[in-house]
Amino acid sequence: MKKLSLIILICVLPLIHLRAQSNNEIHFGLGNAKIVKYSPASDLIAIAVGNKLKLFRSGIQIASLASNNGKISALNFDPDGKYLLTGHASGKLNIWNVKGQKLDLDIRPSHHQILSCKFLESSGKIAVLTKESLSILTTSGKVLTEAYNHYAHNIVMDVSEDGKSIAVADSESTITIYNPRGEPRSEWRSEQKWILSLAFTPDGKSLATGSTDGSVHL
C-alpha cells in the first residue's frame, strides 16, 4: 500500500508543479500598460506605457525608451525582431533599433492618431492606419501611397504574414483588402455590428473578425 501511495505521489507531483508554473504571474509594476507585443524572433516582450516603450527579457526589464511624440497608440515588431514600430496619438511614427535600443526614425505620416502600424514582410515597407487613411511608407519614411476612406472611419488593420494582403475594417463593418501598394483588391460588408479585431490565418487565405456583439466570423 505504501509503495502504491509513493507511485501516486510521484505521478501527481509533476502535475502540481506544472499547474503552479501555469499560474505564475510576473508583475512589471508599470501601471497603465495598454499594448503588449512579443518578438517573433526572440524572447523579447515590448510594452507600451504612455509615451514609454519598455523592453523585457525573461521577466527582467532591459530597456526603457521614451518618445517625445506623446502616447503610444500602436506597437509592432518587424518579422525579424530587429526593429519596433510605435505609432502615436499625435500622428507620428517611430522606428526603434531593438539591439541598439535607440530611435532610428521619427516622422509624421498623418495628423490623426495612428491606430495600427505594421511592417510588410520582405518589402521594406510599412502600413500605417489612421481613422481617415491607409498609408504605405518606405522604412526611410517616404509616403508611397495613401488610400482614404471617405464614407466611414477606419477601426482596425491586419497584415498577412507574407505581406501581400492588408485587411482594414471600418465603422460601417466594411472590410477592405488592399495589396502592398495600397490599392483595394476586394471589399465586403460584414453582418457583425462593430469589428474590433482582425487576424489573418498563417497562410493568408482566411481572415477572422471579432466584434462587440461577441461573435467571431471566418
Side-chain angles (χ1 to χ4, degrees), residues 27 32 35 39 60 91 96 106 130 136 138 143 149 161 173-175 177-178 183 185 194 196-197 211:
H27 294 276
N32 197 15
I35 312 172
S39 170
I60 299 172
W96 302 86
D106 182 5
T130 72
I136 307 299
T138 66
V143 178
N149 191 342
E161 287 191 7
S173 295
T174 297
I175 301 165
I177 306 295
Y178 296 86
E183 300 165 340
R185 201 170 65 201
W194 190 271
L196 291 181
S197 59
S211 169

Side-chain angles (χ1 to χ4, degrees), residues 157-210:
M157 173 183 77
D158 193 33
V159 176
S160 63
E161 287 191 7
D162 60 10
K164 293 180 179 179
S165 300
I166 304 166
V168 175
D170 65 24
S171 55
E172 297 294 328
S173 295
T174 297
I175 301 165
T176 305
I177 306 295
Y178 296 86
N179 65 22
R181 295 183 297 277
E183 300 165 340
R185 201 170 65 201
S186 61
E187 180 181 291
W188 71 92
R189 183 78 175 266
S190 172
E191 295 178 355
Q192 293 166 297
K193 291 182 179 179
W194 190 271
I195 296 171
L196 291 181
S197 59
L198 291 172
F200 277 102
T201 53
D203 61 9
K205 293 180 179 179
S206 299
L207 181 74
T209 59

Side-chain angles (χ1 to χ4, degrees), residues 35 51 53 66-78 83-97 102-120 124-130 134-146 157:
I35 312 172
N51 72 322
L53 181 61
S67 172
N68 295 323
N69 297 326
K71 178 185 174 182
I72 297 172
S73 54
L75 171 66
N76 263 303
F77 281 93
D78 77 313
Y83 295 95
L84 263 168
L85 285 176
T86 55
H88 298 259
S90 62
K92 282 209 165 187
L93 180 76
N94 286 167
I95 299 182
W96 302 86
N97 184 306
K102 64 184 180 69
L103 180 64
D104 272 6
L105 184 67
D106 182 5
I107 59 171
R108 182 189 289 279
S110 173
H111 290 283
H112 297 283
Q113 175 177 329
I114 293 177
L115 303 177
S116 183
C117 50
K118 293 193 174 185
F119 288 94
L120 300 183
K125 298 176 184 176
I126 300 167
V128 177
L129 185 75
T130 72
L134 169 68
S135 301
I136 307 299
L137 287 68
T138 66
T139 51
S140 62
K142 180 183 177 182
V143 178
L144 298 175
T145 184
E146 289 180 300
M157 173 183 77

